[in-house]
Amino acid sequence: MSALKVEAEIYNFGGRLLKLSHESLVNNCSMGVNLYLPKQYYEGKTKIPVLFYLAGLTCTPANGSEKAFFQPYADKYGFAVVFPDTSPRGVKIEGDDETWSFGTGAGFYVDAVQEKWKKNYNMYSYILKELPTLLKTKYTQLDFDNKSITGHSMGGYGAIMFFLRNPNEFKSCSAFAPILNPSKTNWGIKCFGGYLGESESDKKLWEKYDPAEIISSNSYKGPVVPILIHQGVNDPFYKVKGDYDYLTPNEFLEKIKGSNYEKDVTLKFVDGFDHSYFFISSFSGEHAAHHAKYLGLLD
Amino acid sequence: MSALKVEAEIYNFGGRLLKLSHESLVNNCSMGVNLYLPKQYYEGKTKIPVLFYLAGLTCTPANGSEKAFFQPYADKYGFAVVFPDTSPRGVKIEGDDETWSFGTGAGFYVDAVQEKWKKNYNMYSYILKELPTLLKTKYTQLDFDNKSITGHSMGGYGAIMFFLRNPNEFKSCSAFAPILNPSKTNWGIKCFGGYLGESESDKKLWEKYDPAEIISSNSYKGPVVPILIHQGVNDPFYKVKGDYDYLTPNEFLEKIKGSNYEKDVTLKFVDGFDHSYFFISSFSGEHAAHHAKYLGLLD
């Protein structure tokens, strides 16, 4: 596995934000990732827990690093934050730059099976396996056995999907305006269809990535750890009375009725808030406290 | 005077960020400005103090709003924040877009006297008079008689310059990596020269805008209120051993020796930090506390 290269090391609050790059063997391209190491890291602490922040459509590692504002809380509680990219970049597949909601910036955290995409679009394996393995080799003070996951929009879907599909992997999960039932939304249909295929048998694979479908399946026996979700009522992608709801929180709540999770999803509808990073930064402190609890960082 | 138009109203923390536009009579163009109204505003409080944040070269009202992170502290202490633009835009003067350090995005907070620029480049009068007058007419819960000022780089210079030139106008002042002796720097020489002129008599006017010159002049009798300044030691524009120092903090410290201000400038050199918004957001909490004290917001 190729080494991580430190492109920039930026002092930020009590720690440092590292802009890293590396060759990805699962995506077959160079990838960028940002890593915030909290003040405890520089004080020499070991076994520092890790929070993954998965960004939404179009985003790079920069958006969350600059605007989600997890860093002061990372210092407060003592966890590192990983800000991965949202897709491979620069791989030049025909059609990868036609729209902001498919291809570049829109990897949708799946492993593609369609011939055209499967060489490069493997964000599921990238986030779950390749990236943590790579990071823990270099940053040995971090404890990748004690990690949690959060995300926004497409990344909120990703966070919940990773959490539910891999019950022993993450200690806790939260999301900001996630796409909760992606198989039923324009964004999900486009990305699942493109990367996984559109036939009826292909759609069986969609279900394995869809948080609402995973939870509502009879086979789901994951541990019940509360999932914290915020959804802005003025979010333009949440239109309960509009033509289409891209985020589908209510469809999700309906689907989980009767599941282990019925009482363990805290989905807070917050009046007035939109879909922007102004919304995310307003609640990142509350999400950080949620994760700190399950990462064992609260007294 | 033309009215302010609310282009967007964004929920953020406990308050709202307003994106405003208006016709400027002093700059003869349409201007944008952002205003953060803290939670106390929506609780009906009146006499809310105001902090002006002046941004650096190239910035719009967006940069500080998205990345300086004053909003949670505005809620904590109970002050509003004004994020003005850094120049007129769209006025189409020949040469206004040739470089990022002169013209558009680089108004340098002066009132131009050179024929080519004087119709539009009057950021001094805009920030000091037109903008507060306009805002207080519409937002009557804000107290523009109880205001402070801060800024970054060119805006840090601006903050200190406004504070020193107008002793009764602002309760307190702070700055992040300000250009402290602009007459002696590339940026200052270019902007002062372009807007104010380059003759020896023109240069008398430069002195009225230069914080180091104002303080060190024998005539300065302003009140002594401590100015809080942070300067990152790894800031690429602060090169004590390099060819040129764009920010000139040490020149400033030298100049103020023997002045009223000698003991009242707290200039903190902070190891490792650069010139970015990662630096600003790391210290905005400390600056907010400084202003809260002089705005009478601490118990």
Side-chain angles (χ1 to χ4, degrees):
Chain A
M1 188 169 287
S2 307
L4 284 160
K5 186 177 169 197
V6 180
E7 304 284 354
E9 183 172 352
I10 302 165
Y11 279 58
N12 191 205
F13 295 94
R16 298 179 202 172
L17 181 74
L18 309 184
K19 297 189 174 184
L20 307 170
S21 70
H22 66 93
E23 291 303 311
S24 165
L25 300 183
V26 303
N27 290 333
N28 285 289
C29 68
S30 179
M31 299 284 296
V33 57
N34 286 2
L35 171 65
Y36 181 72
L37 297 173
K39 68 175 181 184
Q40 290 82 357
Y41 182 92
Y42 297 96
E43 292 164 358
K45 198 179 169 220
T46 56
K47 295 256 170 204
I48 293 172
V50 182
L51 177 67
F52 278 71
Y53 171 83
L54 304 185
L57 291 164
T58 77
C59 289
T60 69
N63 302 66
S65 310
E66 295 175 358
K67 300 193 288 192
F69 218 69
F70 275 103
Q71 289 93 315
Y73 306 111
D75 279 2
K76 177 178 178 181
Y77 298 114
F79 57 77
V81 190
V82 179
F83 301 94
D85 208 339
T86 55
S87 76
R89 292 181 190 268
V91 295
K92 295 181 182 169
I93 300 171
E94 189 192 347
D96 67 355
D97 279 330
E98 282 177 6
T99 164
W100 57 270
S101 56
F102 183 72
T104 305
F108 229 78
Y109 304 107
V110 303
D111 280 351
V113 296
Q114 293 299 298
E115 194 58 34
K116 188 174 171 182
W117 305 98
K118 71 181 188 186
K119 182 182 168 193
N120 302 107
Y121 278 70
N122 297 304
M123 291 298 288
Y124 183 81
S125 293
Y126 175 71
I127 299 290
L128 189 66
K129 294 178 183 164
E130 186 180 35
L131 187 55
T133 302
L134 200 54
L135 290 169
K136 78 179 169 192
T137 304
K138 188 174 175 90
Y139 297 100
T140 54
Q141 287 169 248
L142 306 186
D143 183 4
F144 283 88
D145 294 327
N146 191 22
K147 62 182 182 293
S148 291
I149 192 162
T150 186
H152 172 233
S153 196
M154 173 181 76
Y157 136 74
I160 299 172
M161 179 273 290
F162 279 114
F163 182 67
L164 294 175
R165 272 186 72 159
N166 304 279
N168 299 313
E169 201 64 31
F170 298 96
K171 294 287 169 63
S172 55
C173 172
S174 74
F176 304 85
I179 309 166
L180 281 166
N181 193 185
S183 307
K184 301 290 188 286
T185 70
N186 280 351
W187 287 333
I189 290 166
K190 188 191 291 178
C191 287
F192 284 166
Y195 303 132
L196 306 177
E198 294 177 320
S199 72
E200 284 312 305
S201 65
D202 293 332
K203 287 184 179 175
K204 289 287 172 199
L205 190 51
W206 295 22
E207 292 175 9
K208 294 187 177 174
Y209 286 105
D210 187 317
E213 303 299 335
I214 297 168
I215 287 190
S216 62
S217 72
N218 288 328
S219 62
Y220 185 68
K221 298 278 186 286
V224 178
V225 173
I227 297 175
L228 174 64
I229 301 172
H230 278 84
Q231 174 59 56
V233 172
N234 267 14
D235 185 328
F237 301 113
Y238 167 60
K239 296 177 181 171
V240 275
K241 293 177 183 173
D243 288 335
Y244 212 92
D245 177 358
Y246 286 76
L247 301 171
T248 49
N250 294 308
E251 289 79 348
F252 178 81
L253 291 177
E254 188 63 34
K255 282 263 187 184
I256 67 174
K257 276 187 184 170
S259 78
N260 283 344
Y261 263 95
E262 183 170 1
K263 291 177 183 169
D264 289 305
V265 169
T266 306
L267 203 164
K268 299 187 180 181
F269 288 96
V270 281
D271 187 41
F273 284 90
D274 64 15
H275 199 69
S276 72
Y277 272 85
F278 291 115
F279 157 65
I280 299 172
S281 61
S282 300
F283 297 100
S284 54
E286 185 175 339
H287 286 238
H290 173 77
H291 294 296
K293 177 180 175 184
Y294 293 97
L295 292 168
L297 293 168
L298 299 185
D299 293 327
Chain B
M1 189 170 288
S2 307
L4 283 160
K5 186 176 169 198
V6 180
E7 304 284 353
E9 183 173 352
I10 302 165
Y11 279 58
N12 191 205
F13 295 95
R16 297 180 203 171
L17 182 74
L18 309 184
K19 296 188 175 185
L20 307 170
S21 69
H22 67 93
E23 291 302 312
S24 166
L25 300 184
V26 302
N27 290 333
N28 286 288
C29 68
S30 178
M31 298 285 295
V33 56
N34 286 1
L35 172 65
Y36 181 72
L37 297 172
K39 66 175 183 184
Q40 291 82 357
Y41 182 93
Y42 297 96
E43 292 164 358
K45 197 179 170 219
T46 57
K47 294 257 171 203
I48 293 173
V50 181
L51 177 66
F52 279 71
Y53 172 83
L54 304 185
L57 290 164
T58 77
C59 289
T60 70
N63 302 65
S65 310
E66 295 176 357
K67 299 192 288 192
F69 218 69
F70 275 104
Q71 289 94 316
Y73 306 110
D75 279 3
K76 178 178 178 182
Y77 298 113
F79 58 77
V81 190
V82 179
F83 300 94
D85 208 339
T86 54
S87 76
R89 291 179 191 271
V91 295
K92 294 181 181 167
I93 300 172
E94 189 193 346
D96 67 355
D97 279 331
E98 281 177 7
T99 164
W100 57 270
S101 56
F102 182 73
T104 305
F108 229 77
Y109 305 107
V110 302
D111 281 350
V113 296
Q114 292 299 298
E115 194 57 36
K116 187 174 172 182
W117 305 97
K118 72 182 188 183
K119 182 182 166 192
N120 303 108
Y121 277 70
N122 296 304
M123 291 298 289
Y124 183 81
S125 293
Y126 175 71
I127 299 291
L128 189 65
K129 294 177 183 164
E130 185 180 37
L131 187 56
T133 302
L134 200 55
L135 290 168
K136 77 179 169 191
T137 305
K138 187 174 174 91
Y139 298 100
T140 54
Q141 287 169 247
L142 305 186
D143 183 4
F144 283 88
D145 293 328
N146 190 22
K147 62 182 182 291
S148 291
I149 192 161
T150 185
H152 172 232
S153 195
M154 174 183 75
Y157 137 74
I160 298 171
M161 178 273 291
F162 279 115
F163 182 68
L164 294 175
R165 275 187 69 160
N166 304 279
N168 299 313
E169 201 64 32
F170 299 95
K171 294 288 169 62
S172 55
C173 173
S174 74
F176 305 84
I179 310 167
L180 281 166
N181 194 184
S183 307
K184 300 291 188 287
T185 70
N186 280 350
W187 289 331
I189 290 166
K190 189 190 292 177
C191 286
F192 286 165
Y195 304 132
L196 306 177
E198 294 177 322
S199 73
E200 285 311 305
S201 66
D202 294 332
K203 287 185 179 176
K204 289 287 172 198
L205 190 50
W206 296 21
E207 292 174 10
K208 295 188 177 175
Y209 286 106
D210 187 317
E213 302 299 333
I214 297 169
I215 287 191
S216 61
S217 71
N218 289 327
S219 61
Y220 185 68
K221 298 280 185 286
V224 177
V225 173
I227 297 175
L228 174 64
I229 301 171
H230 278 84
Q231 174 59 57
V233 173
N234 268 13
D235 185 328
F237 300 113
Y238 167 61
K239 295 176 181 172
V240 274
K241 293 178 183 171
D243 287 337
Y244 213 92
D245 178 1
Y246 287 76
L247 301 170
T248 47
N250 295 309
E251 289 79 349
F252 179 81
L253 291 176
E254 189 63 32
K255 284 263 187 186
I256 67 174
K257 276 188 185 168
S259 77
N260 284 345
Y261 263 97
E262 182 171 1
K263 292 177 182 167
D264 290 304
V265 168
T266 306
L267 203 163
K268 299 187 180 181
F269 288 95
V270 282
D271 187 41
F273 284 89
D274 64 15
H275 199 70
S276 72
Y277 273 85
F278 292 114
F279 156 65
I280 300 171
S281 62
S282 300
F283 297 100
S284 54
E286 185 175 339
H287 285 238
H290 174 78
H291 294 296
K293 178 180 175 184
Y294 292 97
L295 291 168
L297 293 168
L298 299 184
D299 293 327

